[in-house]
Amino acid sequence: MLEVTNLNASIDGNRILNGIDLSVGSGEVHAVMGPNGSGKSTFAHVLAGREGYEVTGSVALDGADLLEMEPEERAAAGLFLGFQYPVEIPGVNNMYFLRTALNSVRRARGEDEISAREFLAVAREAMALVEMKPDFLERSVNAGFSGGEKKRNEILQMAVMQPRLAVLDETDSGLDIDALRVVASGVEALRGPDRSMIVITHYQRLLEHIRPDVVHVLVDGRIVESGDHTLALHLEEHGYRDFGEQDGAGQRLSGV
Amino acid sequence: MTTATGTPITTRTDGNDPAGAMPLPTRRDEAWRYAPHRDLARLAFGPAPQAVDVPADVLAGIPQLGGPLVVMVNGVVDSELSQLESLPAGLTVHPGGGADGGDSRLAPHTELDAAAPVDAYDALNRSLSGNGVSVLVDAGEQIDPPIHVAHLLHPGDAPNAVCGRVRITLGEASAATVVETHVSVGDLAGGASVRTSIVLEADATLEHLVLQDLSAQQMLLARIEVNQHPRSRLRARSFNLGGRYGRIASQVDLVGEGAEADLAGLYSGSGDQVLDQQPTVVHRAPGCTSRQAYRGVLDDSSTGVFSGGIDVRPGADGTDARQSNDNLLLSRQAEVDTQPRLEILADDIACQHGATVGQLDPTALFYLRTRGMTEDEAGRVLVNAFADQVVEEVRHDAVRDWLSRRLGHDHD
């Protein structure tokens, strides 16, 4: 489903990604773990098409060249990015935001816009999935949301947009144990044979709830080790120093 | 036409000013620093031209508020276009032209007229506008339907600029909404000086909306003077959107203890528009509160101006005054000039002010684009969200709908 080949990215002359190769099959969940500054967030943003990076290499989603696409075209092609820091947009309510998001990818795929009634059903189901309160649809996007609500909203958006590939950037950061459980069970519910996920995380604890098929270790912008879920347990015990890092003390490069 | 007070002043500003007239403001006048003086100098003020045809679509293009409507064409009430039959009880509308019969409730306005004009356009207005339209609400009455004063500007060749006048008095403990709309008939170059004076007796509540949407070569010089008596409340919203130059200068005098003035506005410019907000609140009595919250969106090479005054006079202890001005610049050529003017001469007061100038947040744009919106759509959503913080505070659906259409918003 996703083929990443020799992906390099730099910003203002600073190399952040150094030849990432990654292959994610349909229905697979891959975890990308790494210390601060290893390029995890940059990897997520480059996949989603954030401007400002010089990018070489290739990224193919279902055979289509993602790097040639605008961010919105990638969304239409089935890519979803769950943000580490979801953006507050005062003045735009979640109802409008979700409906516009859903309709824009439906339009781009040549499908009809969703009716108001159908949309409400979709939205309510997604809200139930992440235990969002009924007033959610009237509230502004993420404005005044707690950290946990913001992350739950990301999963809610994923549930509405039904992507082929979801890239979840540190979805577990800043969550207490209850919020982590809600987010993780939401992600688990959205697993399926036609949907792949890349779960980016610093810590192993999210992976106690979401068991990945493959774990990759990212250090200095390159994947230095891949293995099954026991690799995450090894990292939890020994940190990243086996991989040439002083347990996250490396210089923070991505700034994101 | 006659003026209530004052000496005859020149009726033309086309370079033939007789000696003794007030000179036109220049760039050196702080309050006029960013105005397009070259275009302003082309305005030739005079009496309203006679017999103007108003196409029906002009009235269809203004908000339909369903209440009393006063249509002023070039500053003169057009009784055929106005809808003043079956006014609600407690509401009086004098259509001007000396027909106010010496209504005593207009006396405070005459007092305001006795003050020296603040600039040449103010002086011209007093000379040329006559009595204008008067809106009077009896004590204790609550007038529910908004009272709409629609100013239609239809410039001739010479003169190409006219004066309009509105007087509003709310009696004790009364309440009303007055909407002033400024729109154009045609697109010839020209301008209008419109002066509105407002007197709020004790415990009165007024919502006053100004919608400025003149055509591209026209200019509005609006001046709004408000006198607020004890515990009266003003809620003023201005939407400065059209025209070559849109100037809305207001002076709110809080003369009675415990009065509240809540002023907000949106200016949204493109092309080479200059949109100028000059609100001043003068705290003259103790325990009054005021709020100024203005937002600007400037595209192309347009200019936004916010010059907000808070003037706390001796004895106005316990004043609570706040001011904010936030701006969004959508182009490198767009400009905003923002400055607070504060003069505090009392004790025990709370006064806050702050201004921001920013661009669209690239992270927010990226966020929306990852959710499938094009760059244009995402930009529009963010601009609308910024502007809607002012629009959504408007309580009247018809006005809010008109603003949403005018600003190209299509969502709730």
Side-chain angles (χ1 to χ4, degrees):
Chain A
M1 170 185 271
L2 179 75
E3 288 293 337
V4 178
T5 312
N6 193 25
L7 182 65
N8 296 281
S10 50
I11 192 164
D12 301 329
N14 293 320
R15 201 60 155 335
I16 301 169
L17 301 183
N18 283 299
I20 292 183
D21 293 304
L22 182 66
S23 178
V24 180
S26 201
E28 291 179 1
V29 173
H30 288 223
V32 173
M33 303 183 69
N36 290 333
S38 59
K40 299 191 301 293
S41 280
T42 297
F43 181 48
H45 281 146
V46 165
L47 288 179
R50 175 108 204 212
E51 288 170 5
Y53 295 98
E54 288 160 49
V55 179
T56 62
S58 79
V59 178
L61 178 63
D62 293 325
D65 183 358
L66 277 191
L67 297 184
E68 286 299 308
M69 298 181 193
E70 299 292 336
E72 58 272 24
E73 295 169 331
R74 299 182 198 208
L79 179 77
F80 177 85
L81 172 63
F83 278 59
Q84 181 181 4
Y85 303 111
V87 180
E88 298 193 10
I89 310 179
V92 177
N93 70 40
N94 284 295
M95 166 101 80
Y96 173 80
F97 174 69
L98 285 175
R99 210 175 155 192
T100 305
L102 181 55
N103 279 331
S104 55
V105 299
R106 285 173 73 113
R107 261 200 320 272
R109 293 171 188 156
E111 299 165 14
D112 287 340
E113 295 201 353
I114 195 167
S115 73
R117 178 199 290 244
E118 275 179 286
F119 170 76
L120 270 182
V122 167
R124 292 219 172 97
E125 193 180 331
M127 285 162 63
L129 180 70
V130 292
E131 301 177 15
M132 206 61 100
K133 292 198 187 93
D135 67 351
F136 164 78
L137 288 174
E138 281 79 51
R139 293 171 71 191
S140 287
V141 178
N142 293 325
F145 278 33
S146 70
E149 280 181 312
K150 285 180 183 173
K151 298 299 179 76
R152 275 151 57 197
N153 193 9
E154 294 296 287
I155 304 307
L156 190 159
Q157 292 167 35
M158 173 166 114
V160 167
M161 295 181 77
Q162 295 282 325
R164 276 283 277 161
L165 172 71
V167 180
L168 303 178
D169 185 12
E170 306 229 12
T171 295
D172 54 334
S173 67
L175 294 186
D176 63 29
I177 192 67
D178 289 333
L180 184 70
R181 178 188 54 76
V182 173
V183 164
S185 67
V187 171
E188 273 297 306
L190 292 170
R191 270 177 105 150
D194 296 325
R195 179 168 303 123
S196 309
M197 299 188 192
I198 296 175
V199 177
I200 292 173
T201 182
H202 187 99
Y203 300 105
Q204 185 265 343
R205 63 174 193 160
L206 178 65
L207 305 180
E208 290 170 5
H209 301 270
I210 305 168
R211 175 171 289 198
D213 299 301
V214 187
V215 174
H216 306 277
V217 180
L218 186 72
V219 174
D220 289 337
R222 102 174 25 98
I223 289 174
V224 295
E225 181 84 20
S226 299
D228 65 13
H229 71 276
T230 58
L231 180 56
L233 297 171
H234 176 88
L235 288 171
E236 183 76 358
E237 213 167 305
H238 301 284
Y240 292 101
R241 73 186 72 114
D242 292 356
F243 306 101
E245 268 290 326
Q246 297 301 308
D247 199 8
Q251 191 194 355
R252 188 175 162 86
L253 294 171
S254 74
V256 179
Chain B
M1 287 194 188
T2 55
T3 52
T5 60
T7 51
I9 302 173
T10 174
T11 59
R12 303 288 295 267
T13 56
D14 52 2
N16 299 319
D17 294 349
M22 278 181 91
L24 290 179
T26 71
R27 209 162 288 284
R28 286 182 298 281
D29 293 293
E30 192 58 41
W32 290 86
R33 178 178 287 188
Y34 303 101
H37 294 280
R38 198 173 300 175
D39 292 320
L40 279 170
R42 294 198 189 103
L43 294 182
F45 280 87
Q50 296 299 307
V52 173
D53 279 335
V54 177
D57 62 344
V58 172
L59 286 178
I62 63 174
Q64 307 298 308
L65 302 178
L69 171 67
V70 184
V71 177
M72 302 181 81
V73 180
N74 289 331
V76 178
V77 172
D78 184 316
S79 51
E80 277 181 30
L81 295 174
S82 300
Q83 294 159 16
L84 293 172
E85 304 80 32
S86 58
L87 293 180
L91 172 65
T92 308
V93 177
H94 294 303
D100 53 32
D103 196 314
S104 63
R105 293 171 293 177
L106 290 168
H109 297 275
T110 311
E111 282 170 33
L112 284 171
D113 291 343
V118 296
D119 54 47
Y121 299 107
D122 192 18
L124 278 163
N125 187 289
R126 293 168 195 223
S127 162
L128 287 171
S129 65
N131 290 335
V133 64
S134 303
V135 175
L136 304 162
V137 179
D138 292 345
E141 297 287 350
Q142 178 163 338
I143 309 298
D144 286 328
I147 302 149
H148 192 170
V149 180
H151 302 269
L152 307 190
L153 177 57
H154 188 225
D157 291 334
N160 65 359
V162 297
C163 293
R165 177 86 171 95
V166 178
R167 298 186 289 185
I168 301 168
T169 297
L170 266 61
E172 281 189 19
S174 67
T177 297
V178 177
V179 180
E180 291 193 62
T181 308
H182 300 271
V183 292
S184 304
V185 181
D187 53 7
L188 292 174
S193 156
V194 177
R195 179 159 168 259
T196 302
S197 54
I198 299 172
V199 175
L200 304 184
E201 300 293 357
D203 300 299
T205 301
L206 173 69
E207 178 149 352
H208 183 247
L209 305 178
V210 177
L211 313 176
Q212 188 278 108
D213 196 20
L214 294 179
S215 61
Q217 294 192 77
Q218 301 186 356
M219 295 182 269
L220 174 68
L221 310 172
R223 182 167 170 77
I224 301 163
E225 293 169 24
V226 188
N227 253 19
Q228 286 190 242
H229 293 282
R231 299 170 306 282
S232 62
R233 288 187 300 272
L234 170 70
R235 197 164 182 274
R237 297 290 179 268
S238 66
F239 295 88
N240 200 358
L241 307 175
R244 164 76 180 101
Y245 180 51
R247 177 187 180 87
I248 301 176
S250 35
Q251 164 145 349
V252 179
D253 279 275
L254 303 174
V255 296
E257 190 164 352
E260 298 173 18
D262 170 5
L263 283 66
L266 172 71
Y267 44 103
S268 178
S270 60
D272 66 349
Q273 285 184 282
V274 179
L275 301 174
D276 199 342
Q277 349 300 308
Q278 302 268 344
T280 299
V281 179
V282 185
H283 286 256
R284 297 181 189 274
C288 295
T289 63
S290 68
R291 169 181 174 247
Q292 300 173 29
Y294 286 77
R295 291 196 156 205
V297 179
L298 289 316
D299 202 352
D300 303 330
S301 53
S302 61
T303 300
V305 181
F306 174 80
S307 174
I310 299 173
D311 194 347
V312 184
R313 295 294 164 86
D317 299 342
T319 286
D320 180 353
R322 287 155 212 258
Q323 177 188 95
S324 69
N325 175 227
D326 298 295
N327 298 279
L328 201 48
L329 297 183
L330 301 180
S331 122
R332 283 176 196 280
Q333 284 74 43
E335 177 181 326
V336 64
D337 300 285
T338 175
Q339 68 159 348
R341 291 175 284 112
L342 307 181
E343 189 173 357
I344 316 277
L345 301 171
D347 298 321
D348 182 28
I349 69 141
C351 183
Q352 289 179 2
H353 66 95
T356 64
V357 180
Q359 289 150 354
L360 288 177
D361 174 9
T363 305
L365 279 173
F366 177 58
Y367 189 62
L368 294 174
R369 294 180 74 189
T370 64
R371 301 310 186 245
M373 293 179 209
T374 64
E375 192 168 13
D376 282 352
E377 273 179 309
R380 213 160 38 236
V381 164
L382 293 178
V383 169
N384 292 351
F386 179 83
D388 276 351
Q389 314 255 323
V390 186
V391 176
E392 278 172 5
E393 287 195 344
V394 173
R395 290 176 182 142
H396 300 276
D397 294 345
V399 176
R400 219 173 37 243
D401 291 348
W402 181 88
L403 285 167
S404 292
R405 276 197 304 280
R406 171 62 178 79
L407 294 167
H409 301 193
D410 57 355
H411 68 278
D412 303 317

